[in-house]
PDB file of all heavy atoms in Angstrom:
ATOM      1  N   PHE A   1      11.400   8.690   7.582  1.00  0.00           N
ATOM      2  CA  PHE A   1      10.057   8.118   7.514  1.00  0.00           C
ATOM      3  C   PHE A   1       9.714   7.695   6.066  1.00  0.00           C
ATOM      4  O   PHE A   1       9.243   6.586   5.803  1.00  0.00           O
ATOM      5  CB  PHE A   1       9.005   9.087   8.035  1.00  0.00           C
ATOM      6  CG  PHE A   1       7.544   8.633   7.778  1.00  0.00           C
ATOM      7  CD1 PHE A   1       7.032   7.622   8.525  1.00  0.00           C
ATOM      8  CD2 PHE A   1       6.866   9.208   6.779  1.00  0.00           C
ATOM      9  CE1 PHE A   1       5.753   7.183   8.294  1.00  0.00           C
ATOM     10  CE2 PHE A   1       5.576   8.802   6.494  1.00  0.00           C
ATOM     11  CZ  PHE A   1       5.038   7.786   7.263  1.00  0.00           C
ATOM     12  N   PHE A   2       9.906   8.599   5.092  1.00  0.00           N
ATOM     13  CA  PHE A   2       9.546   8.308   3.778  1.00  0.00           C
ATOM     14  C   PHE A   2      10.423   7.211   3.156  1.00  0.00           C
ATOM     15  O   PHE A   2       9.972   6.417   2.337  1.00  0.00           O
ATOM     16  CB  PHE A   2       9.557   9.554   2.911  1.00  0.00           C
ATOM     17  CG  PHE A   2       8.420  10.484   3.226  1.00  0.00           C
ATOM     18  CD1 PHE A   2       8.639  11.766   3.675  1.00  0.00           C
ATOM     19  CD2 PHE A   2       7.081  10.063   3.067  1.00  0.00           C
ATOM     20  CE1 PHE A   2       7.590  12.553   3.976  1.00  0.00           C
ATOM     21  CE2 PHE A   2       6.012  10.869   3.353  1.00  0.00           C
ATOM     22  CZ  PHE A   2       6.278  12.161   3.800  1.00  0.00           C
ATOM     23  N   GLN A   3      11.682   7.151   3.513  1.00  0.00           N
ATOM     24  CA  GLN A   3      12.555   6.110   2.996  1.00  0.00           C
ATOM     25  C   GLN A   3      12.102   4.744   3.537  1.00  0.00           C
ATOM     26  O   GLN A   3      12.049   3.751   2.806  1.00  0.00           O
ATOM     27  CB  GLN A   3      13.993   6.342   3.391  1.00  0.00           C
ATOM     28  CG  GLN A   3      14.625   7.428   2.501  1.00  0.00           C
ATOM     29  CD  GLN A   3      16.089   7.683   2.930  1.00  0.00           C
ATOM     30  OE1 GLN A   3      16.538   7.131   3.943  1.00  0.00           O
ATOM     31  NE2 GLN A   3      16.757   8.456   2.137  1.00  0.00           N
ATOM     32  N   SER A   4      11.701   4.689   4.830  1.00  0.00           N
ATOM     33  CA  SER A   4      11.250   3.395   5.363  1.00  0.00           C
ATOM     34  C   SER A   4       9.920   3.004   4.778  1.00  0.00           C
ATOM     35  O   SER A   4       9.617   1.843   4.566  1.00  0.00           O
ATOM     36  CB  SER A   4      11.200   3.461   6.902  1.00  0.00           C
ATOM     37  OG  SER A   4      10.176   4.369   7.301  1.00  0.00           O
ATOM     38  N   ALA A   5       9.052   4.006   4.527  1.00  0.00           N
ATOM     39  CA  ALA A   5       7.744   3.704   3.933  1.00  0.00           C
ATOM     40  C   ALA A   5       7.878   3.189   2.534  1.00  0.00           C
ATOM     41  O   ALA A   5       7.166   2.332   2.049  1.00  0.00           O
ATOM     42  CB  ALA A   5       6.858   4.920   3.961  1.00  0.00           C
ATOM     43  N   MET A   6       8.867   3.700   1.790  1.00  0.00           N
ATOM     44  CA  MET A   6       9.109   3.270   0.435  1.00  0.00           C
ATOM     45  C   MET A   6       9.668   1.874   0.388  1.00  0.00           C
ATOM     46  O   MET A   6       9.444   1.080  -0.492  1.00  0.00           O
ATOM     47  CB  MET A   6       9.994   4.273  -0.347  1.00  0.00           C
ATOM     48  CG  MET A   6       9.261   5.546  -0.625  1.00  0.00           C
ATOM     49  SD  MET A   6      10.276   6.892  -1.315  1.00  0.00           S
ATOM     50  CE  MET A   6      11.324   6.091  -2.445  1.00  0.00           C
ATOM     51  N   LYS A   7      10.533   1.513   1.388  1.00  0.00           N
ATOM     52  CA  LYS A   7      11.155   0.238   1.403  1.00  0.00           C
ATOM     53  C   LYS A   7      10.147  -0.856   1.817  1.00  0.00           C
ATOM     54  O   LYS A   7      10.199  -1.996   1.341  1.00  0.00           O
ATOM     55  CB  LYS A   7      12.333   0.183   2.342  1.00  0.00           C
ATOM     56  CG  LYS A   7      13.501   0.964   1.824  1.00  0.00           C
ATOM     57  CD  LYS A   7      14.623   0.987   2.831  1.00  0.00           C
ATOM     58  CE  LYS A   7      15.754   1.868   2.385  1.00  0.00           C
ATOM     59  NZ  LYS A   7      16.798   1.983   3.436  1.00  0.00           N
ATOM     60  N   GLU A   8       9.220  -0.514   2.744  1.00  0.00           N
ATOM     61  CA  GLU A   8       8.311  -1.520   3.296  1.00  0.00           C
ATOM     62  C   GLU A   8       6.857  -1.011   3.065  1.00  0.00           C
ATOM     63  O   GLU A   8       6.261  -0.413   3.935  1.00  0.00           O
ATOM     64  CB  GLU A   8       8.534  -1.621   4.840  1.00  0.00           C
ATOM     65  CG  GLU A   8       9.944  -2.049   5.141  1.00  0.00           C
ATOM     66  CD  GLU A   8      10.168  -1.937   6.682  1.00  0.00           C
ATOM     67  OE1 GLU A   8       9.201  -1.697   7.420  1.00  0.00           O
ATOM     68  OE2 GLU A   8      11.322  -2.074   7.067  1.00  0.00           O
ATOM     69  N   PRO A   9       6.303  -1.320   1.871  1.00  0.00           N
ATOM     70  CA  PRO A   9       4.909  -0.899   1.680  1.00  0.00           C
ATOM     71  C   PRO A   9       4.023  -1.736   2.548  1.00  0.00           C
ATOM     72  O   PRO A   9       4.328  -2.881   2.942  1.00  0.00           O
ATOM     73  CB  PRO A   9       4.663  -1.257   0.183  1.00  0.00           C
ATOM     74  CG  PRO A   9       5.682  -2.279  -0.180  1.00  0.00           C
ATOM     75  CD  PRO A   9       6.858  -2.017   0.723  1.00  0.00           C
ATOM     76  N   SER A  10       2.876  -1.185   2.911  1.00  0.00           N
ATOM     77  CA  SER A  10       1.949  -1.843   3.780  1.00  0.00           C
ATOM     78  C   SER A  10       1.362  -3.051   3.068  1.00  0.00           C
ATOM     79  O   SER A  10       1.224  -3.128   1.836  1.00  0.00           O
ATOM     80  CB  SER A  10       0.840  -0.936   4.231  1.00  0.00           C
ATOM     81  OG  SER A  10       0.175  -0.416   3.105  1.00  0.00           O
ATOM     82  N   LYS A  11       1.015  -4.049   3.833  1.00  0.00           N
ATOM     83  CA  LYS A  11       0.537  -5.333   3.317  1.00  0.00           C
ATOM     84  C   LYS A  11      -0.890  -5.211   2.786  1.00  0.00           C
ATOM     85  O   LYS A  11      -1.715  -4.542   3.384  1.00  0.00           O
ATOM     86  CB  LYS A  11       0.636  -6.407   4.354  1.00  0.00           C
ATOM     87  CG  LYS A  11       2.091  -6.688   4.748  1.00  0.00           C
ATOM     88  CD  LYS A  11       2.127  -7.693   5.897  1.00  0.00           C
ATOM     89  CE  LYS A  11       3.546  -7.871   6.324  1.00  0.00           C
ATOM     90  NZ  LYS A  11       3.668  -8.799   7.446  1.00  0.00           N
ATOM     91  N   GLY A  12      -1.183  -5.941   1.680  1.00  0.00           N
ATOM     92  CA  GLY A  12      -2.540  -5.982   1.132  1.00  0.00           C
ATOM     93  C   GLY A  12      -2.896  -4.863   0.193  1.00  0.00           C
ATOM     94  O   GLY A  12      -3.920  -4.944  -0.463  1.00  0.00           O
ATOM     95  N   ILE A  13      -2.120  -3.829   0.120  1.00  0.00           N
ATOM     96  CA  ILE A  13      -2.447  -2.732  -0.736  1.00  0.00           C
ATOM     97  C   ILE A  13      -1.869  -2.898  -2.116  1.00  0.00           C
ATOM     98  O   ILE A  13      -2.471  -2.520  -3.123  1.00  0.00           O
ATOM     99  CB  ILE A  13      -2.064  -1.378  -0.113  1.00  0.00           C
ATOM    100  CG1 ILE A  13      -2.916  -1.155   1.126  1.00  0.00           C
ATOM    101  CG2 ILE A  13      -2.258  -0.251  -1.108  1.00  0.00           C
ATOM    102  CD1 ILE A  13      -2.600   0.104   1.869  1.00  0.00           C
ATOM    103  N   GLY A  14      -0.726  -3.472  -2.251  1.00  0.00           N
ATOM    104  CA  GLY A  14      -0.133  -3.636  -3.561  1.00  0.00           C
ATOM    105  C   GLY A  14       0.804  -2.535  -3.912  1.00  0.00           C
ATOM    106  O   GLY A  14       1.705  -2.246  -3.219  1.00  0.00           O
ATOM    107  N   LYS A  15       0.511  -1.785  -4.996  1.00  0.00           N
ATOM    108  CA  LYS A  15       1.395  -0.755  -5.486  1.00  0.00           C
ATOM    109  C   LYS A  15       1.239   0.562  -4.685  1.00  0.00           C
ATOM    110  O   LYS A  15       1.995   1.463  -4.874  1.00  0.00           O
ATOM    111  CB  LYS A  15       1.103  -0.460  -6.936  1.00  0.00           C
ATOM    112  CG  LYS A  15       1.405  -1.613  -7.869  1.00  0.00           C
ATOM    113  CD  LYS A  15       1.043  -1.289  -9.273  1.00  0.00           C
ATOM    114  CE  LYS A  15       1.279  -2.444 -10.225  1.00  0.00           C
ATOM    115  NZ  LYS A  15       0.829  -2.174 -11.524  1.00  0.00           N
ATOM    116  N   GLY A  16       0.283   0.636  -3.877  1.00  0.00           N
ATOM    117  CA  GLY A  16       0.056   1.837  -3.127  1.00  0.00           C
ATOM    118  C   GLY A  16      -1.336   2.423  -3.521  1.00  0.00           C
ATOM    119  O   GLY A  16      -2.009   1.948  -4.437  1.00  0.00           O
ATOM    120  N   GLY A  17      -1.753   3.398  -2.785  1.00  0.00           N
ATOM    121  CA  GLY A  17      -3.029   3.978  -3.113  1.00  0.00           C
ATOM    122  C   GLY A  17      -4.144   3.279  -2.352  1.00  0.00           C
ATOM    123  O   GLY A  17      -3.950   2.742  -1.253  1.00  0.00           O
ATOM    124  N   ARG A  18      -5.323   3.213  -2.980  1.00  0.00           N
ATOM    125  CA  ARG A  18      -6.438   2.544  -2.345  1.00  0.00           C
ATOM    126  C   ARG A  18      -6.285   1.037  -2.347  1.00  0.00           C
ATOM    127  O   ARG A  18      -5.659   0.481  -3.208  1.00  0.00           O
ATOM    128  CB  ARG A  18      -7.731   2.909  -3.139  1.00  0.00           C
ATOM    129  CG  ARG A  18      -8.104   4.341  -3.012  1.00  0.00           C
ATOM    130  CD  ARG A  18      -9.384   4.480  -3.718  1.00  0.00           C
ATOM    131  NE  ARG A  18      -9.864   5.883  -3.693  1.00  0.00           N
ATOM    132  CZ  ARG A  18     -10.930   6.296  -4.270  1.00  0.00           C
ATOM    133  NH1 ARG A  18     -11.674   5.527  -4.933  1.00  0.00           N
ATOM    134  NH2 ARG A  18     -11.237   7.563  -4.185  1.00  0.00           N
ATOM    135  N   PRO A  19      -6.935   0.360  -1.440  1.00  0.00           N
ATOM    136  CA  PRO A  19      -6.946  -1.084  -1.455  1.00  0.00           C
ATOM    137  C   PRO A  19      -7.766  -1.554  -2.661  1.00  0.00           C
ATOM    138  O   PRO A  19      -8.645  -0.885  -3.114  1.00  0.00           O
ATOM    139  CB  PRO A  19      -7.581  -1.490  -0.164  1.00  0.00           C
ATOM    140  CG  PRO A  19      -8.246  -0.288   0.388  1.00  0.00           C
ATOM    141  CD  PRO A  19      -7.611   0.894  -0.212  1.00  0.00           C
ATOM    142  N   PRO A  20      -7.503  -2.757  -3.169  1.00  0.00           N
ATOM    143  CA  PRO A  20      -8.245  -3.221  -4.385  1.00  0.00           C
ATOM    144  C   PRO A  20      -9.688  -3.408  -4.057  1.00  0.00           C
ATOM    145  O   PRO A  20     -10.081  -3.796  -2.932  1.00  0.00           O
ATOM    146  CB  PRO A  20      -7.571  -4.539  -4.717  1.00  0.00           C
ATOM    147  CG  PRO A  20      -6.829  -4.939  -3.484  1.00  0.00           C
ATOM    148  CD  PRO A  20      -6.497  -3.739  -2.745  1.00  0.00           C
ATOM    149  N   HIS A  21     -10.547  -3.192  -5.015  1.00  0.00           N
ATOM    150  CA  HIS A  21     -12.014  -3.329  -4.837  1.00  0.00           C
ATOM    151  C   HIS A  21     -12.381  -4.792  -5.035  1.00  0.00           C
ATOM    152  O   HIS A  21     -11.960  -5.438  -6.003  1.00  0.00           O
ATOM    153  CB  HIS A  21     -12.773  -2.474  -5.856  1.00  0.00           C
ATOM    154  CG  HIS A  21     -14.253  -2.638  -5.755  1.00  0.00           C
ATOM    155  ND1 HIS A  21     -14.952  -2.145  -4.703  1.00  0.00           N
ATOM    156  CD2 HIS A  21     -15.147  -3.243  -6.595  1.00  0.00           C
ATOM    157  CE1 HIS A  21     -16.251  -2.400  -4.928  1.00  0.00           C
ATOM    158  NE2 HIS A  21     -16.381  -3.109  -6.023  1.00  0.00           N
ATOM    159  N   ARG A  22     -13.154  -5.327  -4.093  1.00  0.00           N
ATOM    160  CA  ARG A  22     -13.598  -6.681  -4.190  1.00  0.00           C
ATOM    161  C   ARG A  22     -15.127  -6.724  -4.195  1.00  0.00           C
ATOM    162  O   ARG A  22     -15.734  -6.469  -3.183  1.00  0.00           O
ATOM    163  CB  ARG A  22     -13.102  -7.483  -2.960  1.00  0.00           C
ATOM    164  CG  ARG A  22     -11.585  -7.501  -2.874  1.00  0.00           C
ATOM    165  CD  ARG A  22     -11.066  -8.722  -2.216  1.00  0.00           C
ATOM    166  NE  ARG A  22      -9.645  -8.631  -1.848  1.00  0.00           N
ATOM    167  CZ  ARG A  22      -8.642  -8.559  -2.628  1.00  0.00           C
ATOM    168  NH1 ARG A  22      -8.841  -8.513  -3.896  1.00  0.00           N
ATOM    169  NH2 ARG A  22      -7.394  -8.546  -2.171  1.00  0.00           N
ATOM    170  N   PRO A  23     -15.713  -6.963  -5.391  1.00  0.00           N
ATOM    171  CA  PRO A  23     -17.173  -6.909  -5.488  1.00  0.00           C
ATOM    172  C   PRO A  23     -17.845  -8.042  -4.726  1.00  0.00           C
ATOM    173  O   PRO A  23     -17.383  -9.173  -4.755  1.00  0.00           O
ATOM    174  CB  PRO A  23     -17.480  -7.074  -6.961  1.00  0.00           C
ATOM    175  CG  PRO A  23     -16.136  -7.125  -7.677  1.00  0.00           C
ATOM    176  CD  PRO A  23     -15.080  -7.221  -6.633  1.00  0.00           C
ATOM    177  N   SER A  24     -18.935  -7.735  -4.006  1.00  0.00           N
ATOM    178  CA  SER A  24     -19.700  -8.729  -3.352  1.00  0.00           C
ATOM    179  C   SER A  24     -20.905  -9.101  -4.189  1.00  0.00           C
ATOM    180  O   SER A  24     -21.234  -8.375  -5.111  1.00  0.00           O
ATOM    181  CB  SER A  24     -20.136  -8.232  -1.992  1.00  0.00           C
ATOM    182  OG  SER A  24     -21.075  -7.166  -2.109  1.00  0.00           O
TER     183      SER A  24
END
């Protein structure tokens, strides 16, 4: 699981962690 998660990061998040903040 961790090897596959490291190879394929989720889309839109970037480097990992929280999604980027977009001010309105």
Side-chain angles (χ1 to χ4, degrees):
F1 171 75
F2 288 119
Q3 284 179 353
S4 65
M6 288 172 41
K7 288 178 186 173
E8 302 169 10
S10 58
K11 297 178 183 177
I13 293 181
K15 295 179 184 176
R18 293 183 180 180
H21 178 71
R22 302 210 193 291
S24 68

